[in-house]
Every structure is written in structure tokens, then in C-alpha cells.
Amino acid sequence: MTMSLRAYAGALALCLGALLQLCYADTLDIDVKMYQDSNCFERRDDLLILDDTCYANLFTNLTKAYKMKIVGFDPASQQLDLFDYTDDCQTLFTPKRTLSAGKCERFIAGYFGIINIRLRASTCEGPDCSRLAVTNQRFYSEEGCQGLPYQIYTYPVQNECMRWANGTQVFTVDPTNTKITQVDYLANDKCDGGMQKRYEMENGLCYPLYTDRAPRSFLWSVSRYDAVSTAGASRPFAIGSAALAAAPLALLAPPTERLLDL
């Protein structure tokens, strides 16, 4: 049984009143076809973006990050808010702009784009589905990753350049979905050099953390609905230039939602 985007919009309304763990597996991603011109004729790039997630802005030097948030779910009038930031998605550069899906709209810097919302789900089939692969980092109150996670962070793993407090970072996964790699580029805005820190995590392996307080354990996992896709160089063109358990959580968690201070 397959699910269309229209059917998903109805299911989403039901999910809002249900338990989160029953609904989070099916989600919506943002597809952007970028163009050089205001008529959206000359193609520049293709982006597949996680909703409400902080990306490094590789298209201009005026700002350091941007994110998009779906705010209108009606298939007849889908809308998204676009935010431009001077830091790790904390300080707005300009007021947010609301864009309409399916139309040629001004996007980032001097570029334009046609934006569409894509369903990512195991029940979704066809060209309108999202095949974005992601990694989820889950924190647990109990040892051994028992019970429900109380905090989940999600990152794309197609080599996208993401923004965090002390620079930028990328996440990738090997073709066998076994090893997740995180590379932090310290004090670097474009994921292209400078001091780097590298972490490797095993998919599905539970790592111990604190013994006297939560979180007592955490794990990384990979969600991939397209088995033949691999982590490739899907980063857009930029302008200009317990070993694992001991890794600082300040580097592992998104800058906007850090709960732990080691």
C-alpha cells in the first residue's frame, strides 16, 4: 500500500494528537530546484533539505547559515518559511520570508528556486517521494539504550555542509550502512579546510555515557529508504574557498538544542 502526499497531509493531522514515536518515521523533506535567473530557466543546483534544520550557507558570504520550515501543509497551498542567519541559526540576518511551493521564488543570495515538499516514508513510491538518507542520534535515560529515547537529533548523510556553533560539519555513511562518519570543521564556514575533528560511529551500536545521571547511553542509526543510494558529494558548489562515548556531546548535538554541558 502506498501513500501520496495528499494522504500524508491527512495522516499528519492525526499524528499531531498521537504519540510521537508512532509518527516520526514518516516525514516531509524539502526539494529545491535552484536557478540563476528570476524566470527559473537556467538551472543552478538541486537540493534536498531537512525541515527546520540549520545548513551552512555556501551561496553567499553575507550570511553563515539558513534553514527552511514547512508552515503550510495543505497540498493546494503549501508554504515554507526561509530564514537567513549570521551564525548557527540563532541570529536572523533579515526577517523570515514565506515562500509558496511550486512557484519560482527568490531563494538564497541572488538565486531563485522552485520548491516542493516530498514525503519520506517506506510506504511512499514514485518520483515525488524523498530518498534523503539521514542518521539519528538518540539519547536514553537508561543504560543499554533501554526504553524510549528522550532526545533525538537528525542529520542528513549525503555530505551536506551543516552549521554548528564553532564552524561547520558533514555526516556521511558507508555503502553498507555500517559506519557513520562525522567531520567537524572548526571555525570554518564552508566545510572546506582548517582544523578538523573526525568521529566514527557504528550504526545501531549502543554507547555508554554517564553512570550517575541521564543520559546514560546513546546510539546512532541510519534511515535510508533507497537501498541503492550512497553518501555522495551532494554538497552544492561553494563560493570562494569508550573512545566514542568520550566524544564531547557539545560536538555531537545540534547547537540550537544542546542539553548537556560537560
Side-chain angles (χ1 to χ4, degrees):
M1 179 179 180
T2 61
M3 181 183 295
S4 67
L5 186 59
R6 182 178 297 273
Y8 180 78
L12 180 64
L14 296 177
C15 282
L16 294 177
L19 295 177
L20 176 62
Q21 62 267 25
L22 299 179
C23 303
Y24 76 86
D26 293 352
T27 190
L28 298 174
D29 297 323
I30 302 166
D31 175 75
V32 181
K33 307 298 184 187
M34 286 184 61
Y35 295 87
Q36 303 271 19
D37 63 294
S38 60
N39 294 314
C40 291
F41 287 145
E42 187 178 353
R43 183 72 67 85
R44 167 65 163 78
D45 216 332
D46 293 343
L47 305 176
L48 193 54
I49 298 174
L50 277 175
D51 184 36
D52 200 18
T53 300
C54 191
Y55 285 78
N57 194 342
L58 305 182
F59 306 106
T60 177
N61 288 324
L62 293 177
T63 64
K64 293 187 175 182
Y66 73 94
K67 72 177 179 180
M68 303 186 72
K69 183 176 178 62
I70 302 171
V71 295
F73 294 92
D74 185 345
S77 58
Q78 294 169 339
Q79 292 186 317
L80 309 94
D81 283 344
L82 175 61
F83 305 84
D84 240 344
Y85 297 92
T86 58
D87 50 20
D88 57 321
C89 294
Q90 301 293 316
T91 307
L92 278 171
F93 177 66
T94 55
K96 71 175 183 181
R97 291 187 291 117
T98 300
L99 311 180
S100 296
K103 298 180 179 179
C104 185
E105 298 260 23
R106 183 167 63 89
F107 185 52
I108 294 289
Y111 298 106
F112 290 78
I114 297 177
I115 302 166
N116 287 288
I117 297 173
R118 306 294 187 196
L119 171 63
R120 173 162 39 95
S122 58
T123 55
C124 188
E125 295 181 1
D128 291 336
C129 300
S130 170
R131 297 306 179 201
L132 186 69
V134 300
T135 181
N136 298 296
Q137 183 191 26
R138 295 178 169 90
F139 289 98
Y140 296 83
S141 300
E142 303 301 324
E143 296 178 356
C145 299
Q146 298 299 308
L148 293 175
Y150 72 87
Q151 192 68 52
I152 303 174
Y153 300 115
T154 302
Y155 308 91
V157 290
Q158 284 77 206
N159 204 41
E160 295 93 334
C161 187
M162 314 303 293
R163 186 75 205 183
W164 68 295
N166 198 27
T168 50
Q169 57 188 185
V170 299
F171 296 84
T172 56
V173 63
D174 71 323
T176 65
N177 290 338
T178 302
K179 182 175 68 175
I180 302 158
T181 301
Q182 171 185 341
V183 180
D184 292 338
Y185 297 84
L186 306 181
N188 181 280
D189 294 335
K190 307 293 183 183
C191 296
D192 61 359
M195 185 181 299
Q196 301 175 25
K197 289 188 176 181
R198 184 184 183 92
Y199 305 92
E200 293 185 353
M201 295 76 71
E202 184 174 337
N203 182 18
L205 179 64
C206 184
Y207 294 95
L209 203 53
Y210 300 119
T211 58
D212 59 343
R213 57 190 169 100
R216 291 179 171 83
S217 59
F218 70 96
L219 65 78
W220 293 77
S221 62
V222 175
S223 296
R224 187 198 296 278
Y225 293 128
D226 183 0
V228 300
S229 67
T230 58
S234 62
R235 189 184 311 160
F237 296 106
I239 64 171
S241 50
L244 256 295
L249 292 184
L251 298 180
L252 299 180
T256 58
E257 295 183 286
R258 285 180 193 140
L259 302 180
L260 307 175
D261 185 10
L262 297 187

